[in-house]
């Protein structure tokens, strides 16, 4: 997780309450789904043992990405994917992240139809970007926004070379949980930048934003141990019993409830995972 910018709205130079309408109109055509959630791991082969072999996510592709200093893999998780990133050395950005924070959630990537157009929209709004032009990545043509632009969440945009084939993965990504000091403000920034619509919820301190068939759930940081930025993933298992049997065989440490399970991050490479029965 990235150190959050205290005044992300000011950093953006926008006031979501004023500009949300025009952004929504542009943004609704910009982002199609959560393409993947990136997880930094120490070693790819070791991470495969949990994510591919125990959780049973099908491996889509693996490649060496020299300009990012990583060996990376994409595994299918329903409409989205999980990206595992292992640093090639300690000096790369991902290597420094691993040294500083250990394994865990690193970034979220949104699938956009036209990354050039998306960057042009963001540029025109003076959004802070790491990449002002797309470059080749594992997910296609990609570009990163500065985490300051999204309240401490590192966001990647990607236009895939080909449409994702239906994957048949037994576990799908349902939502990404983000901790925020100010839930409404953070939700406003995400809506403004990407045109996400709010999903109706009971009045409460949380806000849910729809992203394709998935969602981002923004919760007060005090609910999640003071963490700001990405804190957890919710997944849905098509065959919950088989998954529990796989956890038993692998000795995966988790807290089991009725129809849902929470993994200890030590078992899932630093990621808080909530997995529920398919409904
Ligand atoms: Co990525």
């Amino acid at each position: 997780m990235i150190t959050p910018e205290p005044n992300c709205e000011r950093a953006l130079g926008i006031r979501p309450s004023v500009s949300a309408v025009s952004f929504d109109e542009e943004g609704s055509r910009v982002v199609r789904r959560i393409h993947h959630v990136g997880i930094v791991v120490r070693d790819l082969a070791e991470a495969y043992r949990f994510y591919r072999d125990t959780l049973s996510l099908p491996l889509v592709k693996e490649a060496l990405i020299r300009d990012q200093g990583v060996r990376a893999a994409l595994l299918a998780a329903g409409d989205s994917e999980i990206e595992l990133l292992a640093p090639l050395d300690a000096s790369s950005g991902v290597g420094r992240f691993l040294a500083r924070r250990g394994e865990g959630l690193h970034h979220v990537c949104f699938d956009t139809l036209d990354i050039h157009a998306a960057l042009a929209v963001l540029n025109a709004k003076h959004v802070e970007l790491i990449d002002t032009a797309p470059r080749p990545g594992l997910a296609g043509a990609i570009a990163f926004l500065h985490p300051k632009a999204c309240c401490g969440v590192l966001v990647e945009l990607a236009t895939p070379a080909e449409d994702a084939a239906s994957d048949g993965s037994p576990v799908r990504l349902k939502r990404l949980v983000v901790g925020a000091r100010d839930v409404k403000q953070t939700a406003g920034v995400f809506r403004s930048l990407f045109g996400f619509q709010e999903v109706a919820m009971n009045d409460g301190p949380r806000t849910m934003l729809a992203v394709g068939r998935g969602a981002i759930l923004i919760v007060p940081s005090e609910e999640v141990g003071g963490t700001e930025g990405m804190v957890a993933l919710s997944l849905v298992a098509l065959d919950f019993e088989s998954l529990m049997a796989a956890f038993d065989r692998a000795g995966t440490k988790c807290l089991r409830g009725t129809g849902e399970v929470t993994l200890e991050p030590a078992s899932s490479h630093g990621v808080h995972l909530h997995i529920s029965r398919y409904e």
Side-chain angles (χ1 to χ4, degrees):
M1 281 148 265
I2 308 295
T3 310
E5 172 69 17
N7 288 301
C8 42
E9 263 180 280
R10 200 162 61 208
L12 276 171
I14 57 158
R15 300 182 60 198
S17 54
V18 174
S19 55
V21 173
S22 60
F23 267 110
D24 278 355
E25 284 166 3
E26 293 160 357
S28 61
R29 295 195 299 270
V30 171
V31 171
R32 298 189 286 190
R33 62 180 170 127
I34 295 177
H35 185 283
H36 65 263
V37 173
I39 298 168
V40 169
V41 298
R42 217 171 301 282
D43 179 76
L44 217 46
E46 202 185 291
Y48 280 159
R49 255 181 273 150
F50 173 71
Y51 284 97
R52 183 194 59 192
D53 302 340
T54 303
L55 204 53
S56 298
L57 303 184
L59 178 62
V60 177
K61 60 175 124 169
E62 179 192 314
L64 191 67
I65 305 176
R66 290 215 177 271
D67 73 328
Q68 291 177 45
V70 294
R71 179 167 279 280
L74 285 172
L75 297 98
D79 291 334
S80 301
E81 292 171 10
I82 297 284
E83 183 180 51
L84 302 174
L85 303 157
L88 299 176
D89 60 66
S91 66
S92 64
V94 167
R96 292 196 304 274
F97 178 97
L98 182 64
R100 208 169 56 240
R101 326 184 76 131
E103 295 184 309
L105 294 170
H106 180 259
H107 67 271
V108 58
C109 178
F110 299 129
D111 179 338
T112 87
L113 195 57
D114 180 346
I115 193 163
H116 292 275
L119 287 176
V121 169
L122 295 172
N123 230 341
K125 305 295 181 186
H126 307 293
V127 174
E128 213 169 326
L129 304 172
I130 291 174
D131 300 302
T132 49
R135 57 190 163 112
L138 198 54
I142 62 117
F144 281 93
L145 278 66
H146 198 284
K148 277 181 189 171
C150 302
C151 303
V153 177
L154 178 58
V155 172
E156 175 184 12
L157 297 177
T159 298
E162 71 276 351
D163 276 342
S166 159
D167 60 78
S169 63
V171 174
R172 70 174 177 86
L173 182 71
K174 187 169 149 195
R175 65 177 79 114
L176 168 68
V177 185
V178 169
R181 210 173 317 184
D182 184 330
V183 169
K184 293 290 166 212
Q185 187 204 44
T186 299
V189 170
F190 273 87
R191 290 176 54 203
S192 301
L193 292 182
F194 308 113
F196 299 152
Q197 300 295 316
E198 216 165 299
V199 178
M201 288 178 79
N202 298 331
D203 272 348
R206 300 170 159 213
T207 295
M208 182 106 78
L209 301 172
V211 188
R213 290 166 65 191
I216 294 179
L217 178 65
I218 303 171
V219 305
S221 53
E222 58 263 32
E223 277 187 25
V224 287
T227 306
E228 289 173 76
M230 296 184 289
V231 290
L233 293 180
S234 293
L235 309 172
V236 174
L238 299 181
D239 185 345
F240 193 75
E241 278 69 31
S242 295
L243 187 60
M244 294 309 99
F247 285 177
D248 284 339
R249 284 195 299 276
T252 306
K253 292 200 175 70
C254 53
L255 197 70
R256 290 188 197 186
T258 322
E260 61 168 26
V261 64
T262 301
L263 273 78
E264 286 188 22
S267 286
S268 44
H269 297 266
V271 183
H272 290 267
L273 285 182
H274 306 285
I275 305 172
S276 56
R277 200 183 289 275
Y278 181 71
E279 68 290 88

